[in-house]
């Protein structure tokens, strides 16, 4: 931590250190529920109490050996990967369209695209159920993928749009004047420059789909259980430390995704500094 300038008085120093202590306390309050469950996932006994009688990996072994959890992992990965691909493609195309300077009703279109982030999720889930049910899109993975695509696309739109703010459109005009096709211009000029935003949006879409449970409760059947829904069912039917093991794995996955996003953000800042 950098030292304070010599001209900072006692009040300024008190505010400087007090503000950091307050931020640390708030962070501890927010992280404590997450950090508490991690040691319990290594408990040797099926009790959610401290102190623990011993440490064991039995709940992780139970998770790995369970056919129910294996099916849930398979469903979650299929849904999340397909959702990420669709959301990334649709969100990137939407962001490119919104970046056009002469696009009419840009604000209205942007509001419609990001509305799934604003509307309460349970309302969205109910609406999707009544819309998908007559079409036969409930109780199958395809309907869940379409629903999660609607939820994940706004994240891609926002991140790619933010990346395109500093984009120099004279580069694409120069490529067009030299005879490059729109597809060639996109893959050779536009995409490399906005790639950090595309990857960030894709990671957000993946995390949104992988952790989502409300829509799955409305649209999925018995065979389409995902990891979050299996955790929900496990807490209602049979409270087992295996759920804590799964939660710990999801926490580690979330930390890895956030670390990747931070690395991409720093890379994007370096690219902006080079271009400027």
């Amino acid at each position: 931590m950098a030292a304070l300038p010599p001209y900072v008085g006692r009040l300024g120093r008190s505010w400087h250190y007090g503000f950091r202590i307050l931020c640390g306390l708030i962070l501890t309050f927010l992280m404590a529920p997450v950090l508490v469950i991690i040691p319990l996932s290594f408990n040797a006994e099926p009790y959610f109490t401290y102190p623990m009688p011993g440490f064991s990996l039995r709940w992780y072994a139970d998770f790995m050996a369970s056919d129910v959890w294996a099916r849930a992992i398979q469903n979650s990965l299929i849904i999340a990967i397909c959702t990420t691909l669709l959301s990334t493609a649709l969100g990137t195309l939407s962001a490119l369209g919104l970046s056009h300077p002469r696009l009419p009703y840009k604000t209205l279109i942007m509001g419609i695209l990001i509305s799934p982030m604003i509307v309460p999720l349970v309302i969205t889930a109910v609406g999707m159920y009544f819309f998908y049910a007559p079409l036969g899109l409930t109780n199958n993975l395809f309907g869940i993928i379409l629903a999660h695509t609607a939820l994940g696309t706004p994240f891609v739109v926002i991140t790619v749009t933010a990346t395109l703010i500093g984009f120099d459109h004279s580069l694409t005009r120069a490529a067009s004047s030299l005879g490059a096709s729109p597809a060639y211009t996109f893959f050779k000029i536009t995409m490399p420059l906005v790639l950090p935003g595309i990857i960030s949006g894709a990671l957000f879409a993946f995390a949104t789909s992988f952790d989502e449970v409300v829509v799955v409760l409305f649209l999925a059947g018995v065979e389409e259980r995902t990891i979050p829904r299996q955790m929900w069912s496990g807490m209602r039917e049979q409270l087992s430390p295996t759920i804590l093991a799964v939660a710990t794995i999801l926490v580690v996955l979330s930390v890895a995704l956030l670390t990747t996003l931070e690395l991409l953000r720093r890379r994007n800042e370096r690219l902006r500094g080079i271009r400027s």
Side-chain angles (χ1 to χ4, degrees):
M1 183 181 297
L4 292 176
Y7 56 80
V8 177
R10 182 177 300 176
L11 182 61
R13 292 178 180 275
S14 300
W15 166 253
H16 176 81
Y17 294 109
F19 180 73
R20 279 155 178 75
I21 293 173
L22 178 62
C23 292
L25 293 175
I26 294 174
L27 180 62
T28 302
F29 177 78
L30 295 176
M31 293 299 299
V34 177
L35 298 178
V36 164
I37 68 172
I38 295 178
L40 287 175
S41 66
F42 297 95
N43 195 0
E45 300 295 335
Y47 307 118
F48 295 164
T49 58
Y50 285 103
M52 298 185 299
F55 289 88
S56 174
L57 296 176
R58 58 180 293 193
W59 309 116
Y60 290 89
D62 180 67
F63 167 68
M64 296 297 178
S66 173
D67 294 334
V68 175
W69 285 108
R71 190 181 307 112
I73 294 173
Q74 180 181 358
N75 291 336
S76 292
L77 289 177
I78 292 174
I79 294 171
I81 292 174
C82 294
T83 297
T84 301
L85 295 177
L86 290 175
S87 298
T88 303
L90 295 176
T92 302
L93 292 175
S94 300
L96 290 174
L98 290 170
S99 67
H100 197 282
R102 292 188 296 273
L103 178 68
Y105 308 110
K106 182 184 298 186
T107 304
L108 177 61
I109 297 174
M110 186 66 173
I112 295 174
L113 288 175
I114 67 173
S115 60
M117 299 177 61
I118 303 172
V119 178
L121 191 55
V122 65
I123 297 178
T124 302
V126 172
M128 287 179 174
Y129 173 78
F130 285 109
F131 180 76
Y132 286 178
L135 302 177
L137 294 177
T138 58
N139 298 333
N140 60 75
L141 295 181
F142 183 65
I144 301 175
I145 291 171
L146 293 180
H148 282 188
T149 299
L151 298 177
T153 299
F155 293 97
V156 183
V157 172
I158 291 175
T159 55
V160 178
T161 300
T163 307
L164 287 170
I165 290 178
F167 182 75
D168 187 2
H169 291 277
S170 62
L171 297 174
T172 58
R173 291 193 293 268
S176 300
S177 66
L178 294 174
S181 64
Y184 186 87
T185 301
F186 171 76
F187 286 106
K188 292 297 183 179
I189 297 177
T190 306
M191 187 173 178
L193 294 177
V194 301
L195 188 60
I198 295 175
I199 298 177
S200 298
L203 290 176
F204 275 118
F206 181 88
T208 300
S209 174
F210 200 79
D211 294 338
E212 202 283 322
V213 65
V214 179
V215 171
V216 176
L217 288 173
F218 279 86
L219 300 182
V222 178
E223 297 298 325
E224 292 80 36
R225 289 196 176 190
T226 60
I227 291 179
R229 177 168 179 180
Q230 184 60 37
M231 294 177 68
W232 171 270
S233 301
M235 288 186 293
R236 296 185 61 188
E237 300 169 2
Q238 181 182 2
L239 192 59
S240 169
T242 305
I243 299 176
L244 300 181
V246 179
T248 302
I249 294 174
L250 293 180
V251 169
V252 174
L253 179 62
S254 299
V255 171
L257 289 176
L258 291 175
T259 303
T260 304
L261 289 173
E262 178 63 19
L263 294 176
L264 290 173
R265 185 189 65 81
R266 295 185 181 183
R267 179 181 181 274
N268 193 26
E269 288 182 352
R270 289 196 299 268
L271 291 176
R272 288 179 182 273
I274 293 174
R275 290 199 297 266
S276 61

